[in-house]
């Protein structure tokens, strides 16, 4: 056609319709006749036309889209947060575009770059690689408002919403101390991310505040989906076995409970269990597992507030908001068994 780049005028010309009609089809407007839609869609396929979303956003001054990068969307916490965020931001007319980082730094970097190219109005980011230089550079390069979710990332112009893991852990430990437990195990996965670091800090700080020495009962799986069965089983076979266990997430909790059952122990008569984050599995277990959890709606409201504030005043200093973890006793903790 004598031109290196196809634009909407080429599509309209090949389809034999006006540019306005072609635009309505491309943008998904409903009041277009089936015949016109068919012509435009055939022309798009023939020309391999790809809309320039960034240019469209610039013309309208808003894409009405928020990019959301989560570490692992199969995590029940992130699934629950996404639902709450989607509902909250929809009230303001925004669509949430979810991307799964899979704890892969390259994937996370490419996703953030894609958000930039698509002209998002804002970005919510919880990368699994918060210290990776490329991920940090990609975050800092974003021109739109960014809210970092529960990560220790200090990027200019970025705001943060953080979960108070340490305080939550200390609250759960205080409940267990009050029941006479002193040998409390902590089962997590091996990661350098903020949630894992802060949970371990809170665990150790709780022992220090109680005037007790923390036992050698920290178990860390190779990944978020790896089993801790063997490690927990070894702990439970010790003469000084733990009388309580705090276990994060669905996979870690599941393999922890299997090890408890394999050793013929009962919850909570023989051992107390607390989980971090809610799930159907934790709720449906008998007894239901007591937990530390964040209020997803409160998180969504906080993120929406930070995004709106940054959109209104882009030049303001970065802000950081904290959301507490709440302890709920659902029947899986009891008095420490007597020796």
């Amino acid at each position: 056609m004598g031109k290196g780049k196809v634009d909407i005028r080429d599509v309209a010309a090949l389809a034999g319709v006006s540019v306005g009609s072609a635009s309505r089809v491309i943008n998904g407007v409903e009041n277009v006749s089936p015949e016109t839609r068919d012509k435009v869609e055939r022309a798009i396929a023939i020309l391999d036309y790809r809309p320039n979303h960034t240019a469209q956003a610039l013309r309208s001054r808003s894409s009405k889209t928020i990019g959301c990068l989560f570490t692992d969307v199969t995590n029940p916490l992130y699934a629950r947060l996404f639902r709450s965020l989607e509902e909250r931001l929809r009230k303001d007319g925004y669509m949430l575009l979810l991307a799964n980082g899979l704890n892969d730094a390259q994937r996370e970097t490419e996703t953030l770059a894609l958000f930039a190219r698509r002209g998002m109005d804002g970005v919510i980011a919880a990368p699994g690689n918060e210290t990776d230089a490329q991920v940090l550079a990609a975050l800092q390069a974003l021109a739109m408002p960014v809210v970092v979710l529960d990560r220790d990332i200090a990027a200019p112009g970025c705001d943060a919403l953080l979960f108070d893991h340490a305080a939550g852990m200390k609250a759960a430990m205080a409940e267990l101390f009050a029941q006479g437990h002193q040998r409390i195990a902590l089962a997590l996965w091996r990661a350098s991310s903020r949630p894992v670091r802060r949970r371990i800090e809170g665990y150790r700080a709780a022992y220090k505040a109680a005037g007790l020495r923390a036992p050698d009962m920290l178990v860390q799986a190779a990944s978020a989906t790896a089993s801790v069965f063997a490690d927990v089983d070894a702990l439970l076979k010790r003469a000084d076995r733990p009388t309580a266990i705090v276990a994060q997430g669905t996979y870690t909790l599941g393999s922890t409970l299997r090890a408890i059952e394999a050793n013929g122990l009962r919850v909570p008569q023989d051992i107390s269990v607390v989980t971090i984050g809610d799930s159907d599995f934790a709720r449906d277990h008998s007894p239901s597992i007591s937990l530390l959890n964040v209020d997803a709606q409160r998180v969504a409201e906080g993120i929406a507030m930070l995004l709106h504030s940054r959109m209104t005043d882009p030049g303001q200093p970065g802000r950081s908001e904290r959301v507490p973890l709440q302890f709920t006793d659902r029947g899986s903790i009891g008095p420490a068994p007597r020796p």
Side-chain angles (χ1 to χ4, degrees):
M1 297 183 65
K3 292 171 66 177
K5 187 174 182 180
V6 175
D7 63 27
I8 192 171
R9 290 168 296 185
D10 300 318
V11 173
L14 182 59
V17 301
S18 69
V19 171
S21 294
S23 177
R24 286 195 293 276
V25 173
I26 291 167
N27 289 305
V29 177
E30 294 182 1
N31 61 337
V32 178
S33 71
E35 181 182 3
T36 297
R37 188 178 301 280
D38 185 57
K39 288 179 180 179
V40 173
E41 289 175 348
R42 283 204 307 268
I44 288 171
I46 292 169
L47 296 173
D48 192 25
Y49 171 69
R50 304 196 178 178
N52 186 333
H53 295 283
T54 301
Q56 291 174 348
L58 288 172
R59 284 194 294 273
S60 67
R61 306 189 73 84
S62 174
S63 67
K64 286 299 178 182
T65 307
I66 304 292
C68 183
L69 170 64
F70 281 164
T71 309
D72 179 6
V73 298
T74 64
N75 183 324
L77 168 64
Y78 288 130
R80 193 172 66 254
L81 286 179
F82 180 78
R83 287 197 297 270
S84 295
L85 281 166
E86 189 175 42
E87 286 303 310
R88 175 59 186 84
L89 292 170
R90 188 181 180 191
K91 293 178 181 178
D92 294 335
Y94 291 98
M95 182 181 74
L96 201 57
L97 178 64
L98 177 63
N100 194 4
L102 295 177
N103 283 303
D104 183 319
Q106 183 63 35
R107 184 184 180 106
E108 291 173 343
T109 301
E110 291 171 355
T111 297
L112 293 170
L114 177 62
F115 286 167
R117 291 196 300 272
R118 293 294 296 266
M120 303 287 175
D121 286 342
V123 168
I124 303 162
N129 299 273
E130 63 187 85
T131 60
D132 184 85
Q134 288 187 321
V135 172
L136 291 175
L139 270 172
Q140 292 170 358
L142 294 173
M144 67 283 290
V146 177
V147 175
V148 174
L149 178 61
D150 202 28
R151 298 292 184 266
D152 285 329
I153 296 176
C158 289
D159 299 303
L161 190 139
L162 307 173
F163 302 161
D164 201 345
H165 296 283
M169 181 63 71
K170 285 187 277 189
M173 295 289 285
E175 294 283 343
L176 292 169
F177 289 148
Q179 295 276 7
H181 297 277
Q182 293 189 12
R183 299 192 304 276
I184 304 168
L186 176 61
L188 306 168
W189 71 288
R190 191 176 301 114
S192 60
S193 65
R194 180 183 188 277
V196 172
R197 292 197 310 272
R198 296 291 184 252
R199 288 164 187 166
I200 294 174
E201 288 173 10
Y203 172 77
R204 290 172 175 161
Y207 269 104
K208 185 175 181 179
L212 300 171
R213 182 176 179 179
D216 182 19
M217 292 184 175
L218 175 62
V219 171
Q220 291 189 270
S223 72
T225 58
S227 173
V228 295
F229 180 93
D231 291 325
V232 173
D233 181 64
L235 281 179
L236 295 177
K237 284 180 165 52
R238 286 168 40 172
D240 62 341
R241 72 166 180 84
T243 61
I245 298 182
V246 180
Q248 76 166 25
T250 303
Y251 296 101
T252 304
L253 174 63
S255 52
T256 295
L257 290 171
R258 287 196 299 275
I260 289 171
E261 183 180 8
N263 281 272
L265 299 175
R266 300 163 300 164
V267 178
Q269 293 91 334
D270 303 315
I271 188 165
S272 293
V273 180
V274 174
T275 189
I276 303 171
D278 203 4
S279 65
D280 291 340
F281 174 73
R283 285 192 300 273
D284 294 341
H285 186 270
S286 182
S288 295
I289 305 300
S290 303
L291 78 155
L292 279 174
N293 201 28
V294 292
D295 184 333
Q297 292 184 339
R298 182 169 177 176
V299 173
E301 190 62 41
I303 289 174
M305 180 271 295
L306 288 170
L307 283 172
H308 182 266
S309 178
R310 178 67 55 182
M311 289 173 183
T312 305
D313 183 6
Q316 64 180 300
R319 297 174 58 186
S320 178
E321 300 288 337
R322 286 184 179 267
V323 174
L325 272 76
Q326 301 164 331
F327 176 78
T328 303
D329 182 0
R330 295 199 295 204
S332 66
I333 68 170
R338 294 181 179 180

